[in-house]
Amino acid sequence: MQVDRHPIADRASWLALRQQDVTASVAGAVLGAHEYTTAFELWALKSGLIQEDPEETPAMRRGRLLEDDALQLLAEERPAWRVEAANDTYLRAPAHRIGATPDAYAVDPERPGRGVVQVKTTADTVFRAKWRAEDRSIDLPLWIAVQAIVEAKLSGASWACVVVLVVGHGLDLHVLDVPLHAGIWTRLVDEVALFWRRVETGEPPAADYARDGETIGALWPPDADTPPLDLSASNRAPVLVDERLAVADAIREAEARKKAIDAELVALLAGAPVGRLADGREITRTMQTRAEHVVRASIFPVLRIRNPKRNAAA
């Protein structure tokens, strides 16, 4: 398999290189296994229908700034390893249109060849909620394992690991080995080929409506010049409208009930800032300050359900 190596000059050129490939960081999406990106969103991005935000998110910035710290801790905790940063080169397999930017490589004298190191950073609360199993073992998210497998394949590494830097009151490092399952790579190559065919033909994968709302909204903003769409032949539309109205009524009833419950709890507290229940739970009511802020004017779409016939009859 031919793998091209591209030195990374700056962030803009790196983003341009990534646009032509399914990269390791989102490869799990085409397998339906990514926590943050869906296949539908990735299809819209690679089709040029929506644009990737070039700005770093706070989590991305944290990861970039703490990556060197994680590698330093790795070198301290694995003194026999020879660790070398690798994030200055973009790797791509042009025949498959798959790419990757490994974080680092390592040589472990106890196993043959060179390994690829994928660095992740997370808050301690998130680590406990998403990474820790009930038996206290660590569950590596599948999309991260796929990322490490892709990076190992493109870099020719013989082994791979994920280094997780957990940020809390201190810094905790966990080193997780990733088995290089050949079957995952084979399936990924097939799914990526199908993905690019969908991009070429304009045929999107199925949307996940629970996750793809923002992408769908970006693809189809309301156009005031478009005439009303006749949905009278749709069997699905009235079902969705009825369910939305029922959910909206339930939300209003729940909010009203919550407001009444809050009032009764305030009466029970009678001015006390804390009320302790027999089972150990606490009700708190304290003063807090809301900082003054200005909300900038904006234009955004709003979805409503109207009944012109009912309004006309009234």
Side-chain angles (χ1 to χ4, degrees):
M1 178 180 66
Q2 176 185 342
V3 176
D4 297 338
R5 303 174 63 87
H6 299 270
I8 298 174
D10 50 47
R11 180 173 173 78
S13 60
W14 177 64
L15 291 175
L17 284 168
R18 287 163 51 90
Q19 178 60 30
Q20 61 190 329
D21 300 322
V22 170
T23 58
S25 60
V26 293
V30 301
L31 301 177
H34 203 283
E35 183 176 357
Y36 303 108
T37 305
T38 67
F40 182 83
E41 179 187 3
L42 187 62
W43 172 86
L45 280 167
K46 299 303 181 181
S47 299
L49 300 175
I50 61 176
Q51 300 299 316
E52 184 175 12
D53 188 350
E55 299 298 325
E56 283 185 312
T57 65
M60 292 167 61
R61 185 169 185 265
R62 178 192 65 193
R64 176 174 58 82
L65 294 176
L66 292 179
E67 185 174 304
D68 289 342
D69 296 312
L71 294 177
Q72 182 177 341
L73 280 174
L74 176 64
E76 292 177 1
E77 296 191 8
R78 299 287 195 279
W81 289 19
R82 188 170 75 250
V83 180
E84 174 188 359
N87 56 7
D88 59 350
T89 304
Y90 179 74
L91 309 176
R92 72 179 304 254
H96 301 307
R97 296 187 66 183
I98 298 175
T101 312
D103 292 325
Y105 299 120
V107 174
D108 177 4
E110 295 186 1
R111 45 187 160 182
R114 183 179 67 168
V116 68
V117 179
Q118 172 57 226
V119 178
K120 296 296 181 187
T121 64
T122 185
D124 54 354
T125 53
V126 175
F127 182 76
R128 288 194 298 269
K130 294 187 176 182
W131 294 68
R132 281 288 190 193
E134 292 184 2
D135 62 359
R136 302 295 297 167
S137 63
I138 300 176
D139 286 338
L140 180 65
L142 179 57
W143 67 274
I144 295 177
V146 171
Q147 180 177 359
I149 290 170
V150 172
E151 292 175 351
K153 187 68 176 181
L154 296 187
S155 64
S158 57
W159 55 274
C161 70
V162 174
V163 173
V164 188
L165 181 64
V166 181
V167 182
H169 294 297
L171 296 176
D172 295 322
L173 196 73
H174 302 271
V175 181
L176 311 174
D177 286 332
V178 180
L180 300 182
H181 294 299
I184 291 182
W185 171 258
T186 300
R187 184 189 166 198
L188 179 66
V189 168
D190 291 341
E191 293 294 337
V192 169
L194 174 60
F195 172 83
W196 285 117
R197 287 197 296 272
R198 288 184 180 276
V199 171
E200 292 168 3
T201 61
E203 178 190 357
D208 182 341
Y209 292 116
R211 301 178 62 195
D212 285 320
E214 185 174 341
T215 300
I216 291 170
L219 288 176
W220 291 291
D223 184 354
D225 296 327
T226 300
L229 182 64
D230 183 3
L231 294 174
S232 59
S234 171
N235 294 324
R236 182 62 174 159
V239 173
L240 291 173
V241 167
D242 290 343
E243 184 178 1
R244 187 181 190 278
L245 291 172
V247 169
D249 286 340
I251 291 173
R252 282 192 293 269
E253 292 173 4
E255 288 178 342
R257 180 56 186 151
K258 177 179 177 293
K259 185 177 180 180
I261 292 171
D262 287 351
E264 189 170 352
L265 288 173
V266 169
L268 285 173
L269 286 173
V274 180
R276 294 191 176 92
L277 278 61
D279 61 6
R281 289 179 293 174
E282 293 184 343
I283 307 165
T284 65
R285 183 172 181 253
T286 57
M287 302 299 292
Q288 69 179 41
T289 301
R290 177 182 297 168
E292 181 180 359
H293 67 285
V294 177
V295 178
R296 294 183 179 179
S298 60
I299 300 175
F300 53 90
V302 177
L303 179 67
R304 294 189 177 95
I305 307 299
R306 298 189 301 126
N307 192 338
K309 294 183 179 179
R310 179 178 298 175
N311 295 340

